[in-house]
Amino acid sequence: MSTLVLVGATVHDGRGGAAQVADVVVRDGVVAAVGPGAAASVVEAGRAGRVVDARGLEVLPGFVDVHAHDDAALFRPGGIAPKTEQGVTTTIVGNCGQGVAPSPADPADRSLEQYSPPVLGPFPARRWAIFGDYVDTLAHEPLGIHARALVPHAPVRASVLGMARRPADAGETSRIAGAVGDALDAGALGVSLGLMYAPGDAADRPELLAIAREVAARDGLLVAHVRNEADGLRASVDELASLGLESGARVHVSHLKVTGPRNVGGMGAIVDHLDALRADGLDVSADVYPYDAGSTTVASLFPPSTADRGVDSLLEALGDPTTRAAVLAGLVQPWPGTALENQWAAIGPARILLAGFARPENAGLEGRSVADIAAELGGDPREVLADLVLAERGALTVIVFHTDLEGMRTALAWPHTLVGSDGLPRESGTVHPRLHGTFARLLDVYGGTGPSAVLTREEAVHRMSVAAHRRFRTVASSTPVGVVPGAAADLQLVDPVAYADRATYAEPRRPPSGVRGVWVAGELVAGELAGLA
């Protein structure tokens, strides 16, 4: 591999300190030197393969998406472009307890392949009998990005008892925990629980504690999409915290936010509670995405009783007139016996957009609210939603405007918060702009000196790079990370004047402007320079 030299850039090394004007020399995919004049001897000796005049530009470390759903997108053409175009060079998958491995032992069992695509996109044709095989694939196949994995609870649980929404018995719990331990030994970074989603929402404390103990024994990270981010957020955080305190596991709250109109202004108390938990000995962190809307599978809008057999049971319930009436009544009533969040009741159909339509006759409905669609069709919003879910066989995603944006800023300001996109990768149709814009938006809007800034530019870069690597332990503690000698050359070159987030809800697929180049292990993978290569 030839030598790359970036001359005269303003270098943010990712460690949180002040930037310096310096040259960066990359050799064989590794940062060889950083400093004023570092390029001179390389250029004079004729050993530079590519020299880039970087005066007036910034060199940043590659970003780490600590909450990604690229599990299947890694194997689809163009699937990772939304990440590399915004400077992400490491993606961490397996989040929300969702994943593509281990594959069901029965090739005919497609329950997760029907339930999870609204989050993960189409599944790859290949199969992984155990999660360690998937970890090995990520480590050894050229993917154009560094990919590391958490063990997703849902497919591991499904490999033992299918989509059944019931507590695991002692033998089943032992098998689930054993599979988790094996996956961690194979190189997974930790475990992700999707406590809001089937089938993980059916797991009881003994099962979750057995998993937490496997994580703690290997000093991994126990990550969770908690059961409720609205009225029950504190209780849901405490459920995760109790697992960490009893097992000794380090824990991490996925996409920390407070949702629902009744909970606006509540994040300050949650952050104070997290600080109190840390004072009690819990090693806890979190991540955020900088938006006022989330996005998830349409199945999550419905009462959890409809998910007993994944999408099949939802479709059956909506297709039968008797059960359909009860299900639709459940959209506006409390869900007894569950801690899960009823999003429809909290925010209503005007703030829920539908996406992912496959049937040609529904193409004009893409990205529109349920209320708007129902008004056009002249039907009750709940009935219209049910009809569309049936027509599209449950394979829709929703964009839900439920998040307290000021609460997001409060969460981001917490010193133990990192950044994850939670982007749902699909190559067609409407997507949430976080898929293409999270990292640029955070740096452009919330990092620096602007009116909405919460972090300094240096701290924002640190949170999205070195701090993320260290918290998730993507590399050994002795391995350098950032723009420092000896680190992998995962770099960005950006124009700070032109740099801006351009992805919006109306035009979500617009990449950020001002990104001159993105390198993964010294290989140019995105940016304006890539177009000239």
Side-chain angles (χ1 to χ4, degrees):
M1 186 181 295
S2 60
T3 300
L4 167 69
V5 180
L6 305 175
V7 180
T10 300
V11 178
H12 293 263
D13 64 16
R15 293 181 291 185
Q20 65 166 328
V21 176
D23 304 334
V24 178
V25 179
V26 173
R27 186 177 296 113
D28 296 331
V30 175
V31 177
V34 180
S41 61
V42 177
V43 174
E44 290 172 5
R47 297 196 303 269
R50 183 170 193 175
V51 178
V52 178
D53 182 354
R55 288 173 295 181
L57 305 178
E58 291 181 321
V59 171
L60 313 176
F63 295 144
V64 182
D65 189 345
V66 303
H67 190 100
H69 289 293
D70 299 325
D71 310 59
L74 289 163
F75 306 98
R76 299 197 299 263
I80 62 164
K83 297 300 174 66
T84 54
E85 288 174 349
Q86 57 179 311
V88 172
T89 57
T90 299
T91 184
I92 297 177
V93 301
N95 283 286
C96 293
Q98 301 292 309
V100 297
S103 305
D106 180 359
D109 181 1
R110 297 178 58 84
S111 54
L112 275 172
E113 291 185 49
Q114 294 171 325
Y115 183 82
S116 296
V119 174
L120 304 178
F123 273 40
R126 64 197 302 176
R127 318 277 288 186
W128 294 273
I130 60 174
F131 196 73
D133 292 342
Y134 182 77
V135 172
D136 187 68
T137 296
L138 300 188
H140 295 106
E141 291 197 8
L143 300 171
I145 195 170
H146 302 296
R148 300 297 307 275
L150 300 164
V151 186
H153 180 214
V156 172
R157 189 178 207 269
S159 71
V160 175
L161 64 160
M163 290 293 287
R165 294 190 62 261
R166 62 168 176 81
D169 63 29
E172 292 163 341
T173 294
S174 178
R175 290 170 60 193
I176 292 168
V180 163
D182 290 344
L184 293 168
D185 290 339
L189 303 176
V191 172
S192 173
L193 305 172
L195 298 177
M196 178 182 165
Y197 299 111
D201 64 323
D204 61 6
R205 184 171 179 81
E207 178 182 341
L208 298 177
L209 188 57
I211 291 170
R213 285 173 171 150
E214 296 291 333
V215 174
R218 294 159 179 83
D219 201 19
L221 194 60
L222 183 64
V223 181
H225 180 140
V226 297
R227 293 188 194 273
N228 191 304
E229 296 169 330
D231 300 359
L233 177 58
R234 176 162 173 160
S236 297
V237 167
D238 281 344
E239 179 185 25
L240 175 61
S242 70
L243 295 172
L245 289 169
E246 185 166 347
S247 68
R250 301 180 297 123
V251 302
H252 182 89
V253 182
S254 291
H255 43 61
L256 178 62
K257 58 183 175 291
V258 62
T259 65
R262 293 190 301 188
N263 301 299
V264 170
M267 182 55 73
I270 294 297
V271 167
D272 288 345
H273 185 53
L274 289 169
D275 280 331
L277 289 168
R278 289 184 65 86
D280 288 340
L282 181 68
D283 186 352
V284 58
S285 55
D287 61 72
V288 302
Y289 54 79
Y291 296 90
D292 59 349
S295 186
T296 187
T297 171
V298 74
S300 68
L301 297 179
F302 294 92
S305 59
T306 62
D308 283 340
R309 287 174 290 104
V311 172
D312 284 345
S313 55
L314 172 61
L315 297 179
E316 287 178 14
L318 294 177
D320 180 270
T322 303
T323 54
R324 175 181 174 123
V327 169
L328 296 188
L331 292 180
V332 293
Q333 297 172 357
W335 292 344
T338 177
L340 300 182
E341 179 182 350
N342 185 336
Q343 298 181 87
W344 182 282
I347 62 173
R351 300 176 71 182
I352 299 173
L353 312 185
L354 298 179
F357 290 97
R359 296 177 67 88
E361 63 268 29
N362 291 332
L365 308 180
E366 184 74 25
R368 295 169 59 187
S369 75
V370 179
D372 180 41
I373 295 170
E376 178 179 306
L377 299 179
D380 176 88
R382 290 176 292 164
E383 296 286 352
V384 168
L385 175 66
D387 288 342
L388 292 174
V389 170
L390 286 170
E392 298 289 341
R393 306 302 298 167
L396 294 174
T397 61
V398 292
I399 297 173
V400 286
F401 287 86
H402 60 6
T403 302
D404 176 11
L405 194 57
E406 190 59 34
M408 182 282 299
R409 296 178 73 249
T410 300
L412 179 60
W414 191 48
H416 310 289
T417 298
L418 304 173
V419 180
S421 73
D422 199 15
L424 310 186
R426 291 202 321 275
E427 287 73 54
S428 62
T430 299
V431 293
H432 192 299
R434 67 190 185 187
L435 177 64
H436 291 260
T438 290
F439 293 84
R441 180 172 180 80
L442 197 133
L443 190 58
D444 179 27
V445 178
Y446 297 105
T449 59
S452 297
V454 176
L455 308 172
T456 66
R457 191 170 184 83
E458 292 78 9
E459 179 64 13
V461 170
H462 171 64
R463 299 272 192 100
M464 295 189 287
S465 58
V466 172
H469 281 297
R470 293 307 185 205
R471 180 59 176 168
F472 279 76
R473 300 184 180 173
T474 61
V475 297
S477 59
S478 59
T479 301
V481 288
V483 190
V484 295
D490 302 329
L491 309 171
Q492 307 174 61
L493 184 65
V494 305
D495 181 346
V497 176
Y499 188 79
D501 166 40
R502 303 190 305 141
T504 66
Y505 291 108
E507 297 182 89
R509 295 186 182 276
R510 300 176 69 194
S513 59
V515 180
R516 294 291 185 86
V518 179
W519 290 264
V520 174
E523 292 285 347
L524 183 63
V525 298
E528 298 167 14
L529 293 174
L532 301 175

